[in-house]
Amino acid sequence: MAIALGLTLPVAASAQEGTVTGAAGGAATGAIVGGPVGAVVGGVAGAAIGTAVAPPKEVRQYVVRDTRPSVRYEGEVEVGSTLPENVEVYAVPDSDYSYTIVNDRRYIVSNKRKVVEVVE
């Protein structure tokens, strides 16, 4: 675990938001699966994953500015989940990312419909 933690410490400033989101999601999932130890391991792994997929700030800025209607969805939408085909996603120009607005929250999505960040 010390090695995994050491690998996640040198994080670039632009990836901090993805790291925080990944760490929180990983810790929550780890706690459910493995209790307190699982929360620590999940948080470290989630931080590493969040750092790896953090979209550029220009993508976040576009997602905040663009106006689209919110859709209602009964399922859970969280970082790492894959959106079903019936949830519409919108392309972010000059980017490999898309986004959607579900239940009045904005989500950045990868080209495989996987949620990579919640835009607050």
Side-chain angles (χ1 to χ4, degrees):
M1 177 143 89
I3 293 172
L5 182 58
L7 292 175
T8 61
L9 289 178
V11 178
S14 65
Q16 285 178 346
E17 290 179 27
T19 302
V20 171
T21 303
T29 303
I32 292 168
V33 175
V37 173
V40 171
V41 173
V44 170
I49 291 168
T51 300
V53 296
K57 72 177 183 177
E58 293 82 15
V59 170
R60 283 189 290 285
Q61 290 170 342
Y62 179 85
V63 169
V64 169
R65 282 192 325 261
D66 200 34
T67 56
R68 301 285 179 149
S70 178
V71 297
R72 287 278 164 237
Y73 179 66
E74 295 299 320
E76 289 291 321
V77 180
E78 55 190 29
V79 172
S81 64
T82 301
L83 295 173
E85 293 297 322
N86 64 337
V87 174
E88 188 165 1
V89 296
Y90 310 102
V92 176
D94 303 320
S95 161
D96 292 333
Y97 294 97
S98 298
Y99 80 98
T100 190
I101 304 172
V102 176
N103 301 333
D104 298 318
R105 293 190 80 183
R106 293 171 184 265
Y107 300 91
I108 298 176
V109 182
S110 74
N111 59 0
K112 295 183 180 177
R113 303 183 64 82
K114 187 168 286 255
V115 176
V116 296
E117 188 171 314
V118 180
V119 179
E120 301 286 343

